[in-house]
Amino acid sequence: MKKKITLFLSFFLLGWTAKAQVNVGKKIEVVNDPAIIGKKVAENVIHRRFGWRYQRVCAYYGSLIFSDVTHDPAILEKVKKGYHSFSKGLKFNLKGHVDYNVFGIWPFEIYRQTGDAHYLEKPKFLADHEFEKLQEDGLSSFTRFWIDDMYMVGSLQVQAYKSLKDTVYLNRAAKTIKVYCEKLQRPNGMFYHRADAPFYWGRGNGWAAAAFAEIIPVLPQDHIYYQDIKSAFQKMMKTIATHQDEEGMWHQLLDDPDSYPETSCTGMFLYALATGIDYGWLDVDDYGPKVSKGWDALAGYVNDKGETENVCIGTNAKDSRKHYLTRPTSTGNFHGQAAVLWSATAILRLKQD
């Protein structure tokens, strides 16, 4: 029998900005302990071959932040060990594309947790390289206006800001997220995969939600784009909440309940919802039940090996509804592993010390 646990929301100073006080004393309830589920997934991730592709890197970042919130140094040490071959030049990551440069979130997070400056050189180069050449609008020359980029660019620049304390990186992230919202967010708050791929793809919207979750903890209220980003996030979450199914899941096409329930987008939405509650951008009474229901549903898709099931495989943008509806699913795919770890971490951050 699974033990029911209650997670009390805590709004002490954590991370980079003070959390709002509006939700103090509120609580959410979950059946499946995120510390146990997250540990299974993290163990699966760190015992597989380490590589440089973005979905793997997102899972390593997820393992690191989960390690941090659960005070589990063994996970941190394993992820550090996996990075050694890159730091020593035995393996090489690619650069010159948003999906390549996001590699930097991995060593940035190791630096944030250890303070070892050895981990700064490569990710700083990647963050700066991304904005070495600019478009006329001031965005990176890598800009494609694919919804995935909100996370790929936004997360890297946010991690650079957290590590280097230079607001140039925060400003890059904030401007990127703001302009992408202007280009791709629809009046209902959700995002097209790309302007010429007018579909509400689950993980595409998940990337946008996760980008918001990364910038929420660090964006000061007096920032020029604060209100624009906060409003875009709240508009998105209001609509996203209405597309959660009776089980607690979100689907491959968010507005098509007959499409399959998809775990990576579900985890990403939970990451954003829990973070929004944590920092006072969302009301716990409205969104806490969505997090509770969603987490318990998502946890049911993690098997005994720590593999997340029902994960949509990599998906290019295409002007074809059938293209999204027929994308296969896989088990243990790093997109899903990352999303479960992110959401488990965000829910655990709500736990009162």
Side-chain angles (χ1 to χ4, degrees):
M1 176 182 292
K2 294 174 180 175
K3 182 180 179 182
K4 190 171 187 178
I5 64 169
T6 300
L7 300 183
F8 289 88
L9 300 186
S10 172
F11 292 89
F12 52 91
L13 187 63
L14 175 67
W16 303 97
T17 60
K19 298 180 182 180
Q21 296 297 313
V22 295
N23 291 320
V24 170
K26 302 292 184 178
K27 64 182 179 181
I28 64 171
E29 294 182 346
V30 294
V31 173
N32 298 282
D33 188 344
I36 294 174
I37 301 297
K39 175 78 168 180
K40 287 169 61 176
V41 175
E43 289 290 339
N44 176 274
V45 168
I46 64 178
H47 287 99
R48 292 161 72 174
R49 179 181 60 84
F50 280 82
W52 58 266
R53 294 184 181 276
Y54 74 89
Q55 60 268 48
R56 287 177 174 268
V57 168
C58 289
Y60 306 151
Y61 172 68
S63 298
L64 286 167
I65 62 174
F66 178 80
S67 169
D68 189 37
V69 79
T70 56
H71 309 290
D72 189 337
I75 296 175
L76 168 62
E77 290 304 316
K78 186 69 175 181
V79 180
K80 284 170 57 180
K81 185 176 180 180
Y83 182 72
H84 285 170
S85 57
F86 293 96
S87 65
K88 295 180 179 300
L90 302 175
K91 289 184 179 179
F92 299 91
N93 58 291
L94 301 183
K95 65 180 186 295
H97 187 283
V98 296
D99 288 350
Y100 300 158
N101 284 43
V102 76
F103 179 91
I105 67 174
W106 179 9
F108 266 143
E109 182 60 21
I110 296 175
Y111 167 75
R112 193 189 70 79
Q113 293 190 29
T114 66
D116 186 345
H118 167 74
Y119 293 100
L120 278 181
E121 181 179 359
K122 185 182 289 289
K124 183 181 185 305
F125 168 81
L126 292 171
D128 290 335
H129 174 250
E130 195 162 66
F131 280 78
E132 191 173 280
K133 296 180 181 179
L134 302 178
Q135 298 184 157
E136 290 185 2
D137 58 8
L139 297 186
S140 166
S141 60
F142 295 1
T143 299
R144 309 174 300 168
F145 290 115
W146 291 49
I147 195 57
D148 319 45
D149 303 354
M150 284 181 68
Y151 182 85
M152 303 306 168
V153 177
S155 179
L156 175 62
Q157 298 301 322
V158 165
Q159 305 317 319
Y161 169 64
K162 287 163 63 175
S163 293
L164 302 168
K165 312 296 175 56
D166 188 335
T167 56
V168 68
Y169 299 105
L170 178 61
N171 292 337
R172 289 172 180 172
K175 184 170 185 176
T176 298
I177 290 172
K178 176 183 180 292
V179 175
Y180 268 70
C181 288
E182 292 173 348
K183 295 283 188 180
L184 295 176
Q185 191 173 31
R186 312 311 298 159
N188 64 9
M190 297 194 298
F191 290 78
Y192 285 159
H193 192 178
R194 198 171 63 190
D196 60 352
F199 303 98
Y200 301 124
W201 176 42
R203 189 163 63 242
N205 279 265
W207 287 124
F212 285 125
E214 293 296 335
I215 202 167
I216 285 171
V218 298
L219 192 65
Q221 292 187 23
D222 60 355
H223 193 279
I224 187 173
Y225 298 136
Y226 177 87
Q227 194 55 56
D228 290 330
I229 291 174
K230 182 177 181 180
S231 295
F233 170 72
Q234 291 173 330
K235 184 197 298 188
M236 182 189 194
M237 292 299 104
K238 183 176 181 179
T239 300
I240 288 298
T242 68
H243 289 288
Q244 187 179 35
D245 71 15
E246 291 185 1
E247 180 191 10
M249 299 291 291
W250 282 269
H251 289 233
Q252 169 72 350
L253 286 182
L254 297 175
D255 57 346
D256 185 348
D258 292 328
S259 63
Y260 59 81
E262 204 280 321
T263 49
S264 67
C265 75
T266 296
M268 291 173 174
F269 295 146
L270 293 174
Y271 182 39
L273 288 166
T275 303
I277 291 169
D278 206 2
Y279 285 86
W281 285 30
L282 298 176
D283 184 77
V284 68
D285 290 329
D286 293 334
Y287 293 97
K290 299 290 184 181
V291 174
S292 300
K293 188 176 185 179
W295 171 256
D296 283 329
L298 179 62
Y301 284 86
V302 177
N303 65 28
D304 291 339
K305 296 179 181 178
E307 300 168 326
T308 307
E309 301 170 347
N310 248 52
V311 185
C312 176
I313 65 171
T315 300
N316 288 324
K318 191 173 182 179
D319 187 8
S320 167
R321 189 175 188 85
K322 182 179 179 181
H323 168 68
Y324 295 94
L325 290 175
T326 58
R327 294 303 286 167
T329 63
S330 61
T331 296
N333 185 300
F334 281 96
H335 293 94
Q337 303 297 84
V340 171
L341 287 165
W342 296 351
S343 56
T345 300
I347 294 169
L348 286 168
R349 284 173 175 163
L350 298 177
K351 190 175 180 181
Q352 187 175 30
D353 276 0

